[in-house]
Amino acid sequence: GINAEYGIRVMLDPIILLSEKLNIHPLHLFIEVGLFVFIFYLVSQKSYKPHKNEALTEEEIDQLVSEWSPAPLVPYLEPQKLKQTDHTNIVASSPDPVIVVNGKECINLATQNFLGMSKNEEVLKVARETISKYGLGTCGPRGFYGTIDTHMDLEKRIAKFMGTEECILYSAAFATPSSLIPAFSSRGDLIYCDAGINFSIQLGITLSKSDVKVFKHNDLKHLETLLEQTRQEDIKSRRKLNRRFVVVEGLYTDHGDIVPLKELMVLKEKYKFRIIMDDSLGIGILGKTGRGTCEHLGVSVSTIHNEGRN
């Protein structure tokens, strides 16, 4: 024990003396010396050089192939169990309000064909004429295949029907909000969105990378509270104003109620924001001539960025 203690003192005495001369705590000096020794050890080691890849022989390749067994993409099920788990519902009719599922008539709660237009004789006639001229689809979306004359004609007719300057068609209903919202709002802008908006609009808002504030569904008092808070923050910080949008639906997909558009227009004039409204379900359903929520509530469509996904 005495020899061990003597050996430790012999090792530490030089460190203690050096630390006193350099005016450094002995523990600090001991750690630095240890790190220096460790770094010197790493540098002095030989660098690792990977072996050059040598080509496999034909026998080695055959052996590897014979030993390899791919894992199944899905677990194997016995035929009897497969029959027990097969509960596929087969629809055997057109997507009308009432459809035939597994041989039984059922109310179709998943359709947007509320008015049964898929069976309208005029619609069927035009569909037959279009198929005879263009075939069954262009075999590609508009952005890939190109614009055809029916696109242009339909855009003009929709714009005239809705009383707008222009209209643009998208290849898919779900893609409309995810393309339209980022086109208007981007990073640094501010979006106030209703808590009841559908998922496709939520996705569009996320892709815009804008700042987002959510107000309670159809609760304009809560919206005004958020707007007023933002205005007070602007006054205090004197920050540069950004673009601001309120995103709503005309006739809500997930709730079935209508946005209080007239009251929202009052807030628009007071707090100076733009309205983006998805009126997919309102157009063709609401209003004397089916022009949607704006016509139903007596609001000019030119004051709103209006979109439809049907």
Side-chain angles (χ1 to χ4, degrees), residues 10-24:
V10 169
M11 292 174 60
L12 294 179
D13 281 347
I15 296 176
I16 294 172
L17 291 173
L18 183 60
S19 66
E20 289 177 353
K21 289 184 179 181
L22 298 176
N23 195 23
I24 301 175

Side-chain angles (χ1 to χ4, degrees), residues 22-85:
L22 298 176
N23 195 23
I24 301 175
H25 193 279
L27 180 61
H28 189 188
L29 181 62
F30 180 76
I31 293 172
E32 288 189 348
V33 171
L35 288 173
F36 175 79
V37 172
F38 179 69
I39 293 171
F40 179 78
Y41 169 77
L42 293 177
V43 173
S44 63
Q45 297 299 307
K46 293 182 179 180
S47 60
Y48 171 74
K49 294 181 179 180
H51 296 291
K52 293 182 178 180
N53 293 329
E54 297 180 0
L56 297 174
T57 64
E58 291 294 330
E59 293 180 357
E60 290 174 330
I61 294 174
D62 292 339
Q63 182 180 355
L64 288 174
V65 171
S66 63
E67 292 175 353
W68 180 72
S69 103
L73 295 177
V74 293
Y76 175 76
L77 288 176
E78 298 289 341
Q80 189 64 28
K81 291 184 178 180
L82 188 61
K83 289 181 180 179
Q84 294 174 359
T85 57

